[in-house]
Amino acid sequence: MSNDAVTTSQPGGAAPTSATAPADSGSPRPSALRAPAALRPLGLFTLLLGAALPMIDFFVVNVAFPSIEADLHASPAALEMVVASYAVAYASLLVLGGRLGDTFGRRRLFLCGVLAFGLTSLACGFAPGVWWLIAARMAQGAASAMMFPQVLATIHATSEGRERTRAIGLFGSVGGISVVTGQVLGGVLVAADPAGTGWRAIFLINVPVVLVALALGARTVPDSRSESPARGDIAGTVLLACGLVALLLPLTEGRAAGWPWWSVALLGAAVVLAYAFIAVERREEREGRSPLLPTSLLREPGVRRGLLAGAPIFLGFSSFMFESALLLQQGLHFGALKAGLTLVPMGLAQFTASVLAPHLTERLGAGRVLALSAVAQGAGLGALLLALFAEWPGLPPVALAPGLALCGIGQGLQLPTYFRILLSGVPTARAGAGSGLAATAQQSGLALGVATLGSLFLALIPHYGIREALCTALAVQGCGLLALLVVGLRMPRTIA
Protein backbone atom coordinates (compact mmCIF):
# COMPACT_ATOMS: atom_id res chain seq x y z
CA MET A 1 0.00 0.00 0.00
CA SER A 2 1.26 3.47 -0.80
CA ASN A 3 2.26 5.40 2.23
CA ASP A 4 1.38 8.90 1.06
CA ALA A 5 -1.29 7.89 -1.40
CA VAL A 6 -4.25 9.35 0.38
CA THR A 7 -2.59 12.73 0.76
CA THR A 8 -2.78 13.10 -2.98
CA SER A 9 -6.55 13.39 -2.82
CA GLN A 10 -8.31 16.65 -2.17
CA PRO A 11 -11.11 16.95 0.38
CA GLY A 12 -14.26 15.37 -0.90
CA GLY A 13 -12.40 12.86 -3.04
CA ALA A 14 -11.63 15.15 -5.99
CA ALA A 15 -8.48 14.36 -7.90
CA PRO A 16 -5.54 16.55 -7.00
CA THR A 17 -3.86 18.94 -9.35
CA SER A 18 -0.31 18.69 -10.58
CA ALA A 19 2.46 21.09 -9.76
CA THR A 20 4.01 20.65 -13.18
CA ALA A 21 4.64 23.94 -14.97
CA PRO A 22 3.78 24.46 -18.62
CA ALA A 23 6.49 23.93 -21.16
CA ASP A 24 7.23 27.62 -21.69
CA SER A 25 7.66 28.40 -18.01
CA GLY A 26 10.91 28.24 -16.14
CA SER A 27 9.25 27.42 -12.80
CA PRO A 28 5.84 26.28 -11.64
CA ARG A 29 3.30 28.98 -10.84
CA PRO A 30 0.02 28.45 -9.00
CA SER A 31 -1.89 29.80 -11.97
CA ALA A 32 -0.22 27.27 -14.24
CA LEU A 33 -1.31 24.22 -12.26
CA ARG A 34 -3.33 21.73 -14.25
CA ALA A 35 -4.91 18.38 -13.56
CA PRO A 36 -2.87 15.30 -14.51
CA ALA A 37 -3.97 13.22 -17.47
CA ALA A 38 -6.54 10.52 -16.77
CA LEU A 39 -5.33 7.00 -16.08
CA ARG A 40 -6.09 4.67 -19.01
CA PRO A 41 -6.41 0.86 -18.89
CA LEU A 42 -2.93 0.22 -20.27
CA GLY A 43 -1.45 2.66 -17.77
CA LEU A 44 -3.31 0.89 -14.95
CA PHE A 45 -1.98 -2.45 -16.19
CA THR A 46 1.56 -1.05 -16.09
CA LEU A 47 1.12 0.24 -12.54
CA LEU A 48 -0.30 -3.08 -11.36
CA LEU A 49 2.59 -4.89 -13.02
CA GLY A 50 4.95 -2.68 -11.03
CA ALA A 51 3.01 -3.39 -7.83
CA ALA A 52 3.17 -7.14 -8.44
CA LEU A 53 6.95 -7.29 -8.95
CA PRO A 54 8.04 -6.68 -5.33
CA MET A 55 5.22 -8.87 -3.95
CA ILE A 56 6.06 -11.79 -6.22
CA ASP A 57 9.74 -11.42 -5.38
CA PHE A 58 8.97 -11.77 -1.68
CA PHE A 59 7.33 -15.16 -2.25
CA VAL A 60 9.34 -16.54 -5.16
CA VAL A 61 12.55 -16.78 -3.14
CA ASN A 62 11.01 -19.18 -0.59
CA VAL A 63 10.78 -22.02 -3.09
CA ALA A 64 14.44 -21.59 -4.07
CA PHE A 65 15.90 -21.88 -0.54
CA PRO A 66 17.32 -25.42 -0.90
CA SER A 67 18.93 -24.59 -4.26
CA ILE A 68 20.45 -21.37 -2.88
CA GLU A 69 21.69 -23.23 0.20
CA ALA A 70 23.40 -25.89 -1.91
CA ASP A 71 24.87 -23.59 -4.55
CA LEU A 72 26.15 -20.79 -2.29
CA HIS A 73 26.83 -22.98 0.77
CA ALA A 74 24.46 -20.74 2.71
CA SER A 75 23.60 -21.42 6.32
CA PRO A 76 19.95 -21.44 7.41
CA ALA A 77 20.58 -18.16 9.22
CA ALA A 78 21.88 -16.63 6.00
CA LEU A 79 18.68 -17.73 4.25
CA GLU A 80 16.75 -15.82 6.89
CA MET A 81 18.81 -12.75 6.04
CA VAL A 82 17.98 -13.16 2.34
CA VAL A 83 14.35 -12.58 3.29
CA ALA A 84 14.81 -10.12 6.16
CA SER A 85 17.28 -7.81 4.37
CA TYR A 86 14.73 -7.19 1.62
CA ALA A 87 11.99 -6.41 4.13
CA VAL A 88 14.20 -4.11 6.25
CA ALA A 89 15.15 -1.90 3.31
CA TYR A 90 11.56 -1.91 2.09
CA ALA A 91 10.17 -0.94 5.51
CA SER A 92 12.77 1.76 6.17
CA LEU A 93 12.43 3.58 2.84
CA LEU A 94 8.74 3.13 2.04
CA VAL A 95 7.60 6.50 3.39
CA LEU A 96 10.61 8.30 1.93
CA GLY A 97 9.85 6.77 -1.49
CA GLY A 98 6.32 8.11 -1.38
CA ARG A 99 7.49 11.59 -0.46
CA LEU A 100 10.09 11.63 -3.22
CA GLY A 101 7.31 10.80 -5.67
CA ASP A 102 5.22 13.67 -4.32
CA THR A 103 8.14 16.06 -4.84
CA PHE A 104 9.78 14.96 -8.10
CA GLY A 105 6.84 13.35 -9.88
CA ARG A 106 5.35 9.92 -9.35
CA ARG A 107 5.90 8.65 -12.89
CA ARG A 108 9.59 9.58 -12.69
CA LEU A 109 10.03 7.77 -9.36
CA PHE A 110 8.01 4.80 -10.61
CA LEU A 111 10.24 4.43 -13.68
CA CYS A 112 13.41 4.94 -11.64
CA GLY A 113 12.20 2.32 -9.17
CA VAL A 114 11.38 -0.14 -11.94
CA LEU A 115 14.82 0.37 -13.50
CA ALA A 116 16.56 -0.03 -10.14
CA PHE A 117 14.52 -3.16 -9.48
CA GLY A 118 15.75 -4.64 -12.76
CA LEU A 119 19.40 -3.80 -12.04
CA THR A 120 19.24 -5.19 -8.51
CA SER A 121 17.54 -8.33 -9.85
CA LEU A 122 20.57 -8.80 -12.11
CA ALA A 123 22.82 -8.34 -9.07
CA CYS A 124 20.83 -11.04 -7.24
CA GLY A 125 20.91 -13.37 -10.24
CA PHE A 126 24.69 -13.15 -10.64
CA ALA A 127 25.52 -13.21 -6.92
CA PRO A 128 28.81 -15.09 -6.39
CA GLY A 129 28.16 -15.65 -2.67
CA VAL A 130 25.43 -15.52 -0.10
CA TRP A 131 26.45 -12.17 1.42
CA TRP A 132 26.49 -10.62 -2.04
CA LEU A 133 22.95 -11.96 -2.45
CA ILE A 134 21.90 -10.51 0.91
CA ALA A 135 23.28 -7.08 -0.03
CA ALA A 136 21.63 -7.24 -3.45
CA ARG A 137 18.33 -8.20 -1.84
CA MET A 138 18.61 -5.18 0.44
CA ALA A 139 19.17 -2.97 -2.62
CA GLN A 140 16.21 -4.66 -4.28
CA GLY A 141 14.06 -3.79 -1.26
CA ALA A 142 15.16 -0.15 -1.59
CA ALA A 143 14.18 -0.19 -5.28
CA SER A 144 10.77 -1.61 -4.35
CA ALA A 145 10.31 1.19 -1.81
CA MET A 146 10.97 3.71 -4.59
CA MET A 147 8.54 2.06 -7.01
CA PHE A 148 5.65 0.66 -4.98
CA PRO A 149 4.33 3.83 -3.23
CA GLN A 150 3.80 5.52 -6.58
CA VAL A 151 1.22 2.96 -7.70
CA LEU A 152 -1.67 3.74 -5.39
CA ALA A 153 -0.71 7.43 -5.24
CA THR A 154 -0.96 7.66 -9.04
CA ILE A 155 -4.30 5.84 -9.02
CA HIS A 156 -5.66 8.34 -6.51
CA ALA A 157 -4.27 11.32 -8.39
CA THR A 158 -5.32 10.35 -11.92
CA SER A 159 -8.71 8.66 -11.53
CA GLU A 160 -11.98 9.34 -9.74
CA GLY A 161 -15.42 7.89 -9.09
CA ARG A 162 -16.15 4.40 -10.37
CA GLU A 163 -12.87 4.18 -12.27
CA ARG A 164 -10.90 4.83 -9.10
CA THR A 165 -12.93 2.28 -7.15
CA ARG A 166 -12.34 -0.36 -9.83
CA ALA A 167 -8.62 0.43 -10.00
CA ILE A 168 -8.20 0.19 -6.22
CA GLY A 169 -10.10 -3.11 -6.22
CA LEU A 170 -7.71 -4.50 -8.83
CA PHE A 171 -4.78 -3.17 -6.81
CA GLY A 172 -6.07 -5.00 -3.74
CA SER A 173 -6.30 -8.29 -5.63
CA VAL A 174 -2.66 -8.11 -6.73
CA GLY A 175 -1.48 -9.36 -3.31
CA GLY A 176 -3.45 -12.61 -3.48
CA ILE A 177 -2.46 -13.24 -7.09
CA SER A 178 1.19 -12.60 -6.21
CA VAL A 179 1.16 -15.36 -3.58
CA VAL A 180 0.09 -17.94 -6.16
CA THR A 181 2.28 -16.56 -8.93
CA GLY A 182 5.37 -16.33 -6.76
CA GLN A 183 5.15 -19.87 -5.42
CA VAL A 184 4.32 -21.51 -8.75
CA LEU A 185 6.70 -19.40 -10.83
CA GLY A 186 9.54 -20.07 -8.42
CA GLY A 187 8.93 -23.80 -8.56
CA VAL A 188 8.66 -23.84 -12.36
CA LEU A 189 11.85 -21.85 -12.89
CA VAL A 190 13.97 -23.81 -10.41
CA ALA A 191 12.70 -27.13 -11.78
CA ALA A 192 13.14 -26.09 -15.42
CA ASP A 193 16.69 -24.82 -14.79
CA PRO A 194 16.74 -22.65 -17.97
CA ALA A 195 20.24 -22.49 -19.47
CA GLY A 196 21.61 -24.02 -16.29
CA THR A 197 20.72 -20.95 -14.22
CA GLY A 198 18.91 -22.88 -11.48
CA TRP A 199 17.69 -20.62 -8.66
CA ARG A 200 19.17 -17.58 -10.38
CA ALA A 201 16.35 -17.68 -12.91
CA ILE A 202 13.87 -16.45 -10.29
CA PHE A 203 15.69 -13.11 -10.31
CA LEU A 204 16.79 -12.97 -13.94
CA ILE A 205 13.19 -13.43 -15.12
CA ASN A 206 12.50 -9.96 -13.71
CA VAL A 207 14.65 -8.29 -16.35
CA PRO A 208 12.36 -8.78 -19.41
CA VAL A 209 9.34 -7.87 -17.26
CA VAL A 210 11.12 -4.68 -16.17
CA LEU A 211 11.89 -3.77 -19.79
CA VAL A 212 8.20 -4.14 -20.69
CA ALA A 213 7.18 -2.04 -17.66
CA LEU A 214 9.68 0.68 -18.58
CA ALA A 215 8.53 0.83 -22.21
CA LEU A 216 4.85 0.96 -21.24
CA GLY A 217 5.33 3.23 -18.24
CA ALA A 218 7.06 5.98 -20.18
CA ARG A 219 4.12 6.16 -22.60
CA THR A 220 1.01 5.20 -20.62
CA VAL A 221 1.46 6.23 -16.96
CA PRO A 222 0.31 9.84 -16.40
CA ASP A 223 2.51 12.04 -14.26
CA SER A 224 1.39 13.68 -11.03
CA ARG A 225 2.91 15.23 -7.95
CA SER A 226 1.84 16.94 -4.76
CA GLU A 227 1.23 20.69 -4.67
CA SER A 228 2.75 20.80 -1.17
CA PRO A 229 5.20 17.91 -0.86
CA ALA A 230 6.41 17.03 2.62
CA ARG A 231 10.12 17.25 3.37
CA GLY A 232 11.83 13.91 3.69
CA ASP A 233 12.78 12.86 7.24
CA ILE A 234 16.33 11.69 6.56
CA ALA A 235 17.34 11.41 10.22
CA GLY A 236 14.27 9.31 11.04
CA THR A 237 14.83 7.10 8.00
CA VAL A 238 18.47 6.42 8.92
CA LEU A 239 17.64 5.71 12.57
CA LEU A 240 14.80 3.34 11.64
CA ALA A 241 16.99 1.42 9.18
CA CYS A 242 19.91 1.17 11.62
CA GLY A 243 17.60 0.12 14.45
CA LEU A 244 16.01 -2.65 12.40
CA VAL A 245 19.41 -3.94 11.25
CA ALA A 246 20.76 -3.83 14.82
CA LEU A 247 17.77 -5.89 15.96
CA LEU A 248 17.52 -8.37 13.09
CA LEU A 249 21.18 -9.20 12.52
CA PRO A 250 21.82 -10.68 15.99
CA LEU A 251 18.44 -12.43 15.98
CA THR A 252 19.30 -14.22 12.73
CA GLU A 253 23.08 -14.64 12.93
CA GLY A 254 23.69 -14.54 16.70
CA ARG A 255 22.12 -17.95 17.40
CA ALA A 256 24.21 -19.72 14.75
CA ALA A 257 27.39 -17.98 15.98
CA GLY A 258 26.81 -18.90 19.62
CA TRP A 259 25.75 -15.40 20.72
CA PRO A 260 29.15 -13.65 20.54
CA TRP A 261 29.72 -10.24 22.14
CA TRP A 262 28.83 -8.30 19.00
CA SER A 263 25.34 -9.84 18.87
CA VAL A 264 24.60 -8.75 22.44
CA ALA A 265 26.06 -5.30 21.75
CA LEU A 266 23.85 -4.89 18.67
CA LEU A 267 20.74 -5.80 20.66
CA GLY A 268 21.66 -3.12 23.17
CA ALA A 269 22.29 -0.67 20.33
CA ALA A 270 18.84 -1.47 18.90
CA VAL A 271 17.25 -0.23 22.15
CA VAL A 272 19.30 2.99 22.04
CA LEU A 273 18.47 3.56 18.36
CA ALA A 274 14.77 2.98 19.02
CA TYR A 275 14.83 5.60 21.78
CA ALA A 276 16.71 8.03 19.50
CA PHE A 277 14.22 7.40 16.67
CA ILE A 278 11.24 8.21 18.90
CA ALA A 279 12.98 11.34 20.23
CA VAL A 280 13.75 12.59 16.72
CA GLU A 281 10.21 11.92 15.51
CA ARG A 282 8.75 13.79 18.49
CA ARG A 283 11.03 16.74 17.84
CA GLU A 284 10.17 16.79 14.12
CA GLU A 285 6.47 16.79 14.89
CA ARG A 286 6.76 19.36 17.69
CA GLU A 287 8.58 21.75 15.36
CA GLY A 288 5.94 21.41 12.66
CA ARG A 289 8.02 19.39 10.22
CA SER A 290 7.12 16.09 8.51
CA PRO A 291 8.28 13.13 10.67
CA LEU A 292 8.59 9.72 9.12
CA LEU A 293 6.17 8.26 11.67
CA PRO A 294 4.35 10.91 13.76
CA THR A 295 4.32 9.65 17.33
CA SER A 296 1.09 11.52 18.13
CA LEU A 297 -0.75 9.02 15.92
CA LEU A 298 -0.04 6.37 18.54
CA ARG A 299 -2.45 8.16 20.86
CA GLU A 300 -5.33 7.39 18.48
CA PRO A 301 -7.29 4.30 19.72
CA GLY A 302 -7.82 2.98 16.19
CA VAL A 303 -4.10 3.18 15.42
CA ARG A 304 -3.22 1.30 18.59
CA ARG A 305 -5.81 -1.36 17.83
CA GLY A 306 -4.48 -1.75 14.30
CA LEU A 307 -0.86 -2.09 15.40
CA LEU A 308 -1.85 -4.53 18.14
CA ALA A 309 -3.71 -6.67 15.60
CA GLY A 310 -0.93 -6.36 13.01
CA ALA A 311 1.79 -7.83 15.23
CA PRO A 312 0.52 -11.47 15.24
CA ILE A 313 -0.67 -11.15 11.63
CA PHE A 314 2.64 -10.19 10.04
CA LEU A 315 5.01 -12.02 12.38
CA GLY A 316 3.00 -15.19 11.84
CA PHE A 317 2.60 -14.84 8.07
CA SER A 318 6.25 -14.30 7.14
CA SER A 319 7.52 -16.99 9.50
CA PHE A 320 4.91 -19.46 8.22
CA MET A 321 5.98 -18.91 4.60
CA PHE A 322 9.64 -19.39 5.57
CA GLU A 323 8.97 -22.52 7.62
CA SER A 324 6.62 -24.12 5.09
CA ALA A 325 9.17 -23.74 2.30
CA LEU A 326 11.79 -25.63 4.33
CA LEU A 327 9.25 -28.22 5.51
CA LEU A 328 8.07 -29.08 2.01
CA GLN A 329 11.51 -29.38 0.42
CA GLN A 330 13.74 -30.53 3.26
CA GLY A 331 11.24 -32.34 5.47
CA LEU A 332 8.91 -33.90 2.89
CA HIS A 333 11.53 -33.87 0.09
CA PHE A 334 9.24 -32.26 -2.47
CA GLY A 335 10.90 -30.82 -5.55
CA ALA A 336 10.71 -27.06 -6.13
CA LEU A 337 7.80 -27.35 -8.58
CA LYS A 338 5.85 -29.75 -6.37
CA ALA A 339 6.41 -27.49 -3.35
CA GLY A 340 5.17 -24.45 -5.26
CA LEU A 341 2.05 -26.24 -6.49
CA THR A 342 1.34 -27.54 -2.98
CA LEU A 343 0.86 -23.95 -1.77
CA VAL A 344 -1.57 -23.01 -4.55
CA PRO A 345 -4.71 -23.78 -2.45
CA MET A 346 -3.52 -21.31 0.16
CA GLY A 347 -2.89 -18.60 -2.42
CA LEU A 348 -6.24 -19.08 -4.13
CA ALA A 349 -8.07 -19.04 -0.79
CA GLN A 350 -6.18 -15.91 0.25
CA PHE A 351 -7.12 -14.13 -2.98
CA THR A 352 -10.79 -15.08 -2.63
CA ALA A 353 -10.96 -14.05 1.02
CA SER A 354 -9.29 -10.69 0.32
CA VAL A 355 -11.98 -9.94 -2.27
CA LEU A 356 -14.76 -10.86 0.18
CA ALA A 357 -13.22 -9.10 3.21
CA PRO A 358 -14.76 -5.64 2.56
CA HIS A 359 -18.26 -7.12 2.23
CA LEU A 360 -17.86 -9.15 5.42
CA THR A 361 -16.58 -6.09 7.25
CA GLU A 362 -19.68 -4.13 6.26
CA ARG A 363 -21.93 -6.87 7.65
CA LEU A 364 -20.02 -8.05 10.73
CA GLY A 365 -17.70 -5.22 11.67
CA ALA A 366 -13.90 -5.18 11.39
CA GLY A 367 -13.28 -6.69 14.83
CA ARG A 368 -15.53 -9.68 14.13
CA VAL A 369 -13.81 -10.26 10.80
CA LEU A 370 -10.42 -10.31 12.56
CA ALA A 371 -11.79 -12.80 15.08
CA LEU A 372 -13.15 -14.95 12.24
CA SER A 373 -9.78 -14.83 10.48
CA ALA A 374 -8.02 -15.99 13.65
CA VAL A 375 -10.42 -18.94 14.00
CA ALA A 376 -10.01 -19.93 10.34
CA GLN A 377 -6.23 -19.71 10.41
CA GLY A 378 -6.00 -21.48 13.75
CA ALA A 379 -8.14 -24.31 12.36
CA GLY A 380 -5.84 -24.43 9.34
CA LEU A 381 -2.74 -24.76 11.50
CA GLY A 382 -4.43 -27.53 13.47
CA ALA A 383 -5.37 -29.38 10.27
CA LEU A 384 -1.78 -29.14 9.03
CA LEU A 385 -0.42 -30.60 12.27
CA LEU A 386 -2.92 -33.47 12.17
CA ALA A 387 -1.89 -34.26 8.59
CA LEU A 388 1.81 -34.16 9.46
CA PHE A 389 1.41 -36.60 12.36
CA ALA A 390 -0.99 -38.88 10.49
CA GLU A 391 1.08 -39.61 7.38
CA TRP A 392 4.65 -38.43 8.01
CA PRO A 393 6.91 -38.61 6.07
CA GLY A 394 5.04 -39.98 3.03
CA LEU A 395 2.58 -37.10 2.96
CA PRO A 396 0.91 -36.32 -0.40
CA PRO A 397 0.26 -32.64 -1.26
CA VAL A 398 -3.51 -33.19 -1.28
CA ALA A 399 -3.42 -34.04 2.44
CA LEU A 400 -2.11 -30.53 3.17
CA ALA A 401 -4.65 -28.73 0.96
CA PRO A 402 -7.49 -28.33 3.54
CA GLY A 403 -5.20 -26.86 6.19
CA LEU A 404 -3.46 -24.57 3.71
CA ALA A 405 -6.79 -23.36 2.33
CA LEU A 406 -8.03 -22.48 5.82
CA CYS A 407 -4.78 -20.63 6.51
CA GLY A 408 -5.24 -18.75 3.24
CA ILE A 409 -8.77 -17.72 4.20
CA GLY A 410 -7.53 -16.33 7.50
CA GLN A 411 -4.64 -14.47 5.87
CA GLY A 412 -6.86 -13.05 3.12
CA LEU A 413 -9.28 -11.59 5.65
CA GLN A 414 -6.53 -10.08 7.78
CA LEU A 415 -4.61 -7.70 5.54
CA PRO A 416 -7.44 -5.45 4.25
CA THR A 417 -9.06 -5.46 7.70
CA TYR A 418 -5.79 -4.42 9.36
CA PHE A 419 -5.46 -1.39 7.09
CA ARG A 420 -9.11 -0.50 7.58
CA ILE A 421 -8.89 -0.60 11.38
CA LEU A 422 -5.64 1.33 11.62
CA LEU A 423 -6.61 4.02 9.13
CA SER A 424 -10.05 4.43 10.68
CA GLY A 425 -8.32 6.02 13.68
CA VAL A 426 -6.36 8.51 11.58
CA PRO A 427 -7.76 12.01 10.92
CA THR A 428 -8.39 12.66 7.22
CA ALA A 429 -5.78 15.42 7.13
CA ARG A 430 -3.13 12.93 8.30
CA ALA A 431 -4.16 9.97 6.17
CA GLY A 432 -0.83 9.92 4.32
CA ALA A 433 1.15 9.67 7.54
CA GLY A 434 -1.23 7.00 8.82
CA SER A 435 -0.94 4.83 5.73
CA GLY A 436 2.84 5.24 5.91
CA LEU A 437 2.78 4.01 9.50
CA ALA A 438 0.56 1.06 8.52
CA ALA A 439 2.78 -0.01 5.63
CA THR A 440 6.03 0.43 7.56
CA ALA A 441 4.68 -1.60 10.48
CA GLN A 442 3.62 -4.30 8.02
CA GLN A 443 7.05 -4.65 6.41
CA SER A 444 8.87 -4.44 9.75
CA GLY A 445 6.61 -7.20 11.10
CA LEU A 446 7.37 -9.41 8.10
CA ALA A 447 11.11 -9.02 8.72
CA LEU A 448 10.78 -9.64 12.46
CA GLY A 449 8.64 -12.73 11.90
CA VAL A 450 11.40 -14.48 9.96
CA ALA A 451 14.04 -13.32 12.45
CA THR A 452 12.15 -14.48 15.57
CA LEU A 453 9.83 -17.41 14.84
CA GLY A 454 12.00 -18.45 11.91
CA SER A 455 15.06 -18.51 14.17
CA LEU A 456 13.15 -20.51 16.79
CA PHE A 457 12.22 -23.05 14.13
CA LEU A 458 15.83 -23.40 12.95
CA ALA A 459 17.16 -23.65 16.50
CA LEU A 460 14.87 -26.59 17.32
CA ILE A 461 15.49 -28.65 14.16
CA PRO A 462 18.88 -30.15 15.25
CA HIS A 463 17.41 -31.29 18.59
CA TYR A 464 13.90 -32.47 17.69
CA GLY A 465 13.64 -32.76 13.90
CA ILE A 466 11.86 -30.58 11.38
CA ARG A 467 8.32 -31.80 12.11
CA GLU A 468 8.52 -31.26 15.86
CA ALA A 469 10.28 -27.92 15.37
CA LEU A 470 7.44 -26.82 13.12
CA CYS A 471 4.90 -27.89 15.73
CA THR A 472 6.54 -25.66 18.32
CA ALA A 473 6.76 -22.68 15.96
CA LEU A 474 3.11 -23.11 14.94
CA ALA A 475 2.08 -23.40 18.60
CA VAL A 476 3.68 -20.01 19.25
CA GLN A 477 1.92 -18.63 16.19
CA GLY A 478 -1.31 -20.12 17.53
CA CYS A 479 -0.87 -18.12 20.75
CA GLY A 480 -0.62 -15.01 18.59
CA LEU A 481 -3.85 -15.96 16.82
CA LEU A 482 -5.54 -16.43 20.20
CA ALA A 483 -4.45 -12.90 21.10
CA LEU A 484 -5.80 -11.69 17.73
CA LEU A 485 -9.13 -13.38 18.48
CA VAL A 486 -9.37 -11.56 21.84
CA VAL A 487 -8.39 -8.23 20.28
CA GLY A 488 -10.98 -8.66 17.54
CA LEU A 489 -13.81 -9.55 19.90
CA ARG A 490 -13.03 -6.58 22.15
CA MET A 491 -13.17 -4.06 19.31
CA PRO A 492 -16.26 -1.89 18.99
CA ARG A 493 -18.36 -2.79 15.95
CA THR A 494 -18.57 0.87 14.95
CA ILE A 495 -15.01 0.67 13.53
CA ALA A 496 -16.51 -0.78 10.35
PDB file of all heavy atoms in Angstrom, residues 312 478-488:
ATOM      1  N   PRO A 312       0.611 -10.032  15.502  1.00  0.00           N
ATOM      2  CA  PRO A 312       0.521 -11.470  15.237  1.00  0.00           C
ATOM      3  C   PRO A 312       0.263 -11.788  13.779  1.00  0.00           C
ATOM      4  O   PRO A 312       0.655 -12.863  13.299  1.00  0.00           O
ATOM      5  CB  PRO A 312      -0.656 -11.917  16.115  1.00  0.00           C
ATOM      6  CG  PRO A 312      -1.466 -10.697  16.351  1.00  0.00           C
ATOM      7  CD  PRO A 312      -0.487  -9.569  16.383  1.00  0.00           C
ATOM      8  N   GLY A 478       0.054 -19.934  17.060  1.00  0.00           N
ATOM      9  CA  GLY A 478      -1.314 -20.123  17.531  1.00  0.00           C
ATOM     10  C   GLY A 478      -1.638 -19.241  18.729  1.00  0.00           C
ATOM     11  O   GLY A 478      -2.758 -18.734  18.853  1.00  0.00           O
ATOM     12  N   CYS A 479      -0.659 -19.036  19.618  1.00  0.00           N
ATOM     13  CA  CYS A 479      -0.871 -18.116  20.747  1.00  0.00           C
ATOM     14  C   CYS A 479      -1.115 -16.697  20.237  1.00  0.00           C
ATOM     15  O   CYS A 479      -1.949 -15.956  20.790  1.00  0.00           O
ATOM     16  CB  CYS A 479       0.339 -18.147  21.673  1.00  0.00           C
ATOM     17  SG  CYS A 479       0.572 -19.728  22.528  1.00  0.00           S
ATOM     18  N   GLY A 480      -0.393 -16.316  19.190  1.00  0.00           N
ATOM     19  CA  GLY A 480      -0.615 -15.014  18.594  1.00  0.00           C
ATOM     20  C   GLY A 480      -2.009 -14.896  18.002  1.00  0.00           C
ATOM     21  O   GLY A 480      -2.663 -13.849  18.108  1.00  0.00           O
ATOM     22  N   LEU A 481      -2.492 -15.971  17.383  1.00  0.00           N
ATOM     23  CA  LEU A 481      -3.846 -15.964  16.825  1.00  0.00           C
ATOM     24  C   LEU A 481      -4.893 -15.891  17.930  1.00  0.00           C
ATOM     25  O   LEU A 481      -5.949 -15.269  17.750  1.00  0.00           O
ATOM     26  CB  LEU A 481      -4.062 -17.216  15.968  1.00  0.00           C
ATOM     27  CG  LEU A 481      -3.260 -17.265  14.660  1.00  0.00           C
ATOM     28  CD1 LEU A 481      -3.436 -18.624  13.984  1.00  0.00           C
ATOM     29  CD2 LEU A 481      -3.699 -16.147  13.722  1.00  0.00           C
ATOM     30  N   LEU A 482      -4.619 -16.531  19.057  1.00  0.00           N
ATOM     31  CA  LEU A 482      -5.538 -16.426  20.196  1.00  0.00           C
ATOM     32  C   LEU A 482      -5.618 -14.982  20.670  1.00  0.00           C
ATOM     33  O   LEU A 482      -6.712 -14.472  20.970  1.00  0.00           O
ATOM     34  CB  LEU A 482      -5.067 -17.343  21.322  1.00  0.00           C
ATOM     35  CG  LEU A 482      -5.954 -17.384  22.579  1.00  0.00           C
ATOM     36  CD1 LEU A 482      -7.352 -17.879  22.234  1.00  0.00           C
ATOM     37  CD2 LEU A 482      -5.316 -18.285  23.633  1.00  0.00           C
ATOM     38  N   ALA A 483      -4.466 -14.312  20.721  1.00  0.00           N
ATOM     39  CA  ALA A 483      -4.454 -12.896  21.098  1.00  0.00           C
ATOM     40  C   ALA A 483      -5.224 -12.066  20.076  1.00  0.00           C
ATOM     41  O   ALA A 483      -5.967 -11.142  20.432  1.00  0.00           O
ATOM     42  CB  ALA A 483      -3.017 -12.399  21.214  1.00  0.00           C
ATOM     43  N   LEU A 484      -5.070 -12.404  18.789  1.00  0.00           N
ATOM     44  CA  LEU A 484      -5.798 -11.694  17.731  1.00  0.00           C
ATOM     45  C   LEU A 484      -7.303 -11.889  17.889  1.00  0.00           C
ATOM     46  O   LEU A 484      -8.093 -10.951  17.674  1.00  0.00           O
ATOM     47  CB  LEU A 484      -5.330 -12.188  16.364  1.00  0.00           C
ATOM     48  CG  LEU A 484      -5.958 -11.521  15.136  1.00  0.00           C
ATOM     49  CD1 LEU A 484      -5.610 -10.036  15.088  1.00  0.00           C
ATOM     50  CD2 LEU A 484      -5.495 -12.219  13.860  1.00  0.00           C
ATOM     51  N   LEU A 485      -7.714 -13.092  18.247  1.00  0.00           N
ATOM     52  CA  LEU A 485      -9.132 -13.377  18.479  1.00  0.00           C
ATOM     53  C   LEU A 485      -9.674 -12.488  19.597  1.00  0.00           C
ATOM     54  O   LEU A 485     -10.759 -11.883  19.459  1.00  0.00           O
ATOM     55  CB  LEU A 485      -9.305 -14.854  18.836  1.00  0.00           C
ATOM     56  CG  LEU A 485     -10.700 -15.303  19.276  1.00  0.00           C
ATOM     57  CD1 LEU A 485     -11.701 -15.158  18.138  1.00  0.00           C
ATOM     58  CD2 LEU A 485     -10.659 -16.747  19.767  1.00  0.00           C
ATOM     59  N   VAL A 486      -8.932 -12.389  20.703  1.00  0.00           N
ATOM     60  CA  VAL A 486      -9.371 -11.564  21.835  1.00  0.00           C
ATOM     61  C   VAL A 486      -9.440 -10.095  21.429  1.00  0.00           C
ATOM     62  O   VAL A 486     -10.406  -9.385  21.734  1.00  0.00           O
ATOM     63  CB  VAL A 486      -8.428 -11.766  23.037  1.00  0.00           C
ATOM     64  CG1 VAL A 486      -8.781 -10.795  24.159  1.00  0.00           C
ATOM     65  CG2 VAL A 486      -8.498 -13.205  23.528  1.00  0.00           C
ATOM     66  N   VAL A 487      -8.410  -9.626  20.726  1.00  0.00           N
ATOM     67  CA  VAL A 487      -8.393  -8.225  20.281  1.00  0.00           C
ATOM     68  C   VAL A 487      -9.590  -7.936  19.381  1.00  0.00           C
ATOM     69  O   VAL A 487     -10.264  -6.904  19.515  1.00  0.00           O
ATOM     70  CB  VAL A 487      -7.070  -7.909  19.550  1.00  0.00           C
ATOM     71  CG1 VAL A 487      -7.145  -6.551  18.851  1.00  0.00           C
ATOM     72  CG2 VAL A 487      -5.905  -7.931  20.524  1.00  0.00           C
ATOM     73  N   GLY A 488      -9.862  -8.849  18.452  1.00  0.00           N
ATOM     74  CA  GLY A 488     -10.981  -8.656  17.536  1.00  0.00           C
ATOM     75  C   GLY A 488     -12.327  -8.603  18.243  1.00  0.00           C
ATOM     76  O   GLY A 488     -13.168  -7.749  17.933  1.00  0.00           O
TER      77      GLY A 488
END
